[in-house]
Amino acid sequence: MSGSPAFTAVAARRSLATPDPTPPPKPQNTHFSDELRDYVQRAFAVENYVSGIDRKDLEQKLKDIINDATARGVVASIDWKTHPLPQHIIQQEMYTPTPWKQTESLSLNQDAARDAFANDKSPNKKRKSSDLESAPNDDASTPPWRKTNKNNPFEERITFATQAAAERMEKRQRKFYGGKVDESSKLPATLEKRRQRFESIKPGIQSPSSSHGDTPTVDHPEGPVIGICQDLEKPYSRLTSAPRPEVVRPLSILKKTLEHLKTKWRTESNYSYICDQFKSLRQDLTVQHIKNEFTVAVYEIHARIALEKGDLGEYNQCQTQLRALYKQKLGGHPEEFLAYRILYFIYTSNRIDMNDALANLTPSDKQQPAVKHALEVRSSLALGNYHKFFHLYLDTPNMGAYLMDMFIVRERLAALAVICKAYKQDVKIRFLTEELGFESDQDCVQFLCENGAPQQLFDEKEDGLRFLTAKAGPIFDTAKAGAARTANAKG
């Protein structure tokens, strides 16, 4: 009786070498057609930038689109000229009612994607906190970051447009709290109050918790207002609601208003009234989005009047607007107000802004008479050449003398401190009048007395009244230091 073996025979192994594994398939090289290359370039073009979308999110979405098209083998069949850009697809995903619901794969059907983007015509695309409160509380509507991040004390109070935004917020929290979330922090309570405050604000309705009880919420229109008011004069009032056309003057009336105000200023010189009317005029220009040569003229005239009256607050507001208008090449007198800026920085002793202004000067700017004069004023003070400085002071173009008047006392005291050390024992009052740029000897003597010089320092001699500089040195050293401290405080 021959029985069958109780095992299965296996061929003996003849080699210890490991058999070569099956080589992985070589990745297929994606061929970028000209249309696809143009699609990538348009995605990163400046004119197609969408606010609120990071470059990293844009790059990731673009990579997903191309990789998915490659995997599906439809790269060549897609019309990339009309295919929605990745930022538009991201924007559509941000504005959908449930942006956290994930689809199994990215649809590249160009008609469906384009229709989905075109159908989003909601006037208010920002998500509100009330939208989240009305969502059902189940697993399907729960964002993925709330399922994984159990230690985040802000998760019930913060809404995110995309998963990437949630991950960045979580990363910042870990960095801020040193790797973990501090439950005792005061930040959660602050954010809760902020959330409640914004939830209570409705369009056109005042928030009960607002500290400005008489200031309603302004609902500004999307476009500029077209005024229909025909009044030449209108008092200035701060806007607390959307401007109405019947209280805004059109450009044709504003031009007549400017001529009317120029006549009023020449005949009456009532600065309080003129300033109020100019602010009202500027406001009408702003709400109508009018930026042209007339706008430049309005700001220039108001700035000159403010300089004449020493109102640096209004002057600075006009100067700031003029800098932006000059960059748009709308005309005006940019070289005149550039010189004023340099003189103003001398007055405030603002070296940082002065250096920035000097660095931005072009060779043509430096040849303009007003700018050249202002640069010479700065150079004379930097070199301590008071003789040249007061000569420039008496020959200031345009209205620069009004700015120089603001720091002329400081420079006269500094020059007197030097003169008292250089000229012993005395000097003629006439010499001081000419050196320090006074109009008369009487003005010079009055200035000396007002700044601490006693009567004993004046000596009447045969050749005229003289000033005892040998004894006046300490007086003007102290006055010079006090003026310098005041200038530093302004700068």
Side-chain angles (χ1 to χ4, degrees):
M1 180 179 178
S2 60
S4 58
F7 57 90
T8 303
V10 179
R13 187 173 183 178
R14 298 179 178 274
S15 174
L16 297 177
T18 304
D20 295 335
T22 303
K26 295 182 179 180
Q28 298 179 357
N29 293 329
T30 303
H31 175 68
F32 276 25
S33 62
D34 292 339
E35 291 184 358
L36 180 54
R37 293 177 185 273
D38 180 67
Y39 176 78
V40 174
Q41 292 178 357
R42 286 189 292 113
F44 293 100
V46 177
E47 58 269 18
N48 293 325
Y49 170 75
V50 176
S51 178
I53 297 179
D54 293 340
R55 184 181 179 87
K56 292 183 178 179
D57 297 340
L58 177 62
E59 292 175 351
Q60 184 61 43
K61 178 59 69 176
L62 181 61
K63 182 178 179 181
D64 293 342
I65 293 173
I66 297 175
N67 290 343
D68 198 3
T70 303
R72 295 160 58 92
V74 294
V75 175
S77 63
I78 293 179
D79 186 3
W80 295 105
K81 292 183 179 180
T82 59
H83 191 76
L85 295 175
Q87 53 264 48
H88 294 161
I89 297 176
I90 295 175
Q91 192 177 36
Q92 172 61 22
E93 293 175 353
M94 292 168 59
Y95 297 153
T96 53
T98 55
W100 50 81
K101 290 185 178 180
Q102 303 295 326
T103 58
E104 294 181 359
S105 62
L106 175 65
S107 174
L108 290 176
N109 185 295
Q110 60 187 30
D111 295 331
R114 186 163 56 252
D115 293 342
F117 181 73
N119 289 335
D120 182 28
K121 298 181 179 180
S122 174
N124 186 8
K125 296 184 177 181
K126 292 186 177 179
R127 297 177 62 229
K128 301 179 182 179
S129 56
S130 58
D131 296 337
L132 290 182
E133 291 178 356
S134 60
N137 186 15
D138 55 12
D139 295 338
S141 61
T142 303
W145 60 85
R146 291 192 176 177
K147 296 179 182 179
T148 57
N149 186 10
K150 301 298 184 180
N151 296 324
N152 185 3
F154 304 151
E155 63 181 2
E156 297 300 329
R157 302 165 187 160
I158 303 177
T159 60
F160 300 97
T162 63
Q163 173 69 27
E167 292 174 354
R168 288 195 299 272
M169 184 61 182
E170 183 179 357
K171 182 178 180 181
R172 284 196 294 267
Q173 291 177 12
R174 289 197 300 267
K175 182 178 180 181
F176 183 83
Y177 292 111
K180 63 179 182 178
V181 178
D182 186 3
E183 296 290 340
S184 62
S185 172
K186 296 181 181 179
L187 284 176
T190 304
L191 291 178
E192 174 65 18
K193 293 179 181 179
R194 184 180 301 173
R195 182 183 67 84
Q196 294 176 357
R197 184 169 69 252
F198 281 108
E199 284 180 353
S200 62
I201 298 178
K202 303 296 180 183
I205 301 177
Q206 176 187 337
S207 171
S209 60
S210 174
S211 58
H212 305 282
D214 299 330
T215 304
T217 304
V218 181
D219 186 13
H220 294 287
E222 294 182 358
V225 176
I226 305 301
I228 59 175
C229 179
Q230 301 297 309
D231 298 335
L232 290 181
E233 298 182 12
K234 189 187 74 171
Y236 170 77
S237 60
R238 188 178 299 275
L239 289 177
T240 58
S241 61
R244 294 178 287 112
E246 56 268 22
V247 296
V248 178
R249 295 164 292 185
L251 180 59
S252 58
I253 300 299
L254 293 177
K255 291 181 178 180
K256 296 179 181 179
T257 297
L258 179 61
E259 297 301 322
H260 175 70
L261 294 180
K262 289 162 64 176
T263 303
K264 279 269 193 178
W265 175 247
R266 285 192 295 265
T267 56
E268 300 179 7
S269 298
N270 185 346
Y271 178 70
S272 178
Y273 163 81
I274 288 295
C275 182
D276 181 78
Q277 291 297 314
F278 263 96
K279 291 174 70 175
S280 176
L281 195 158
R282 286 160 44 189
Q283 185 183 73
D284 286 352
L285 289 172
T286 301
V287 299
Q288 296 180 94
H289 298 189
I290 299 176
K291 291 184 179 181
N292 52 25
E293 189 174 359
F294 174 74
T295 308
V296 176
V298 169
Y299 278 97
E300 286 183 342
I301 295 173
H302 193 184
R304 294 189 187 105
I305 295 176
L307 266 185
E308 183 177 348
K309 304 304 293 186
D311 188 354
L312 291 182
E314 289 297 330
Y315 162 77
N316 283 327
Q317 290 184 22
C318 295
Q319 178 74 282
T320 301
Q321 294 297 324
L322 284 172
R323 288 187 62 192
L325 294 171
Y326 289 148
K327 291 180 180 179
Q328 302 179 33
K329 308 296 183 182
L330 299 176
H333 304 82
E335 67 283 346
E336 175 188 350
F337 283 85
L338 177 57
Y340 294 160
R341 285 188 67 218
I342 296 174
L343 294 177
Y344 178 78
F345 293 148
I346 295 175
Y347 162 63
T348 59
S349 299
N350 192 332
R351 294 182 178 85
I352 296 177
D353 289 341
M354 173 67 80
N355 291 337
D356 291 341
L358 296 179
N360 293 329
L361 290 178
T362 63
S364 60
D365 290 336
K366 297 178 182 179
Q367 298 303 319
Q368 299 295 330
V371 178
K372 188 176 181 180
H373 173 272
L375 293 176
E376 290 179 351
V377 170
R378 174 195 168 275
S379 177
S380 63
L381 291 178
L383 297 174
N385 189 348
Y386 62 83
H387 177 82
K388 182 179 180 180
F389 170 78
F390 290 107
H391 176 74
L392 293 169
Y393 168 68
L394 297 175
D395 190 26
T396 306
N398 301 320
M399 301 183 67
Y402 288 101
L403 278 167
M404 295 188 69
D405 283 342
M406 297 179 184
F407 58 89
I408 194 67
V409 173
R410 180 182 74 203
E411 301 308 327
R412 279 172 173 164
L413 292 175
L416 277 171
V418 175
I419 291 174
C420 289
K421 294 176 182 177
Y423 294 86
K424 301 291 181 70
Q425 296 288 324
D426 55 22
V427 294
K428 292 182 179 180
I429 291 295
R430 188 63 197 170
F431 170 78
L432 294 179
T433 300
E434 295 175 352
E435 282 295 306
L436 302 181
F438 288 105
E439 295 183 357
S440 65
D441 292 349
Q442 183 179 358
D443 291 340
C444 179
V445 172
Q446 182 178 356
F447 176 82
L448 295 173
C449 294
E450 289 176 351
N451 288 277
Q455 293 293 332
Q456 293 82 357
L457 297 182
F458 298 92
D459 187 13
E460 184 71 40
K461 293 187 177 181
E462 295 179 358
D463 57 349
L465 185 64
R466 303 182 74 87
F467 182 67
L468 302 180
T469 54
K471 298 180 180 180
I475 297 175
F476 291 105
D477 283 339
T478 304
K480 172 188 173 182
R485 285 193 297 270
T486 303
N488 291 333
K490 294 175 181 176

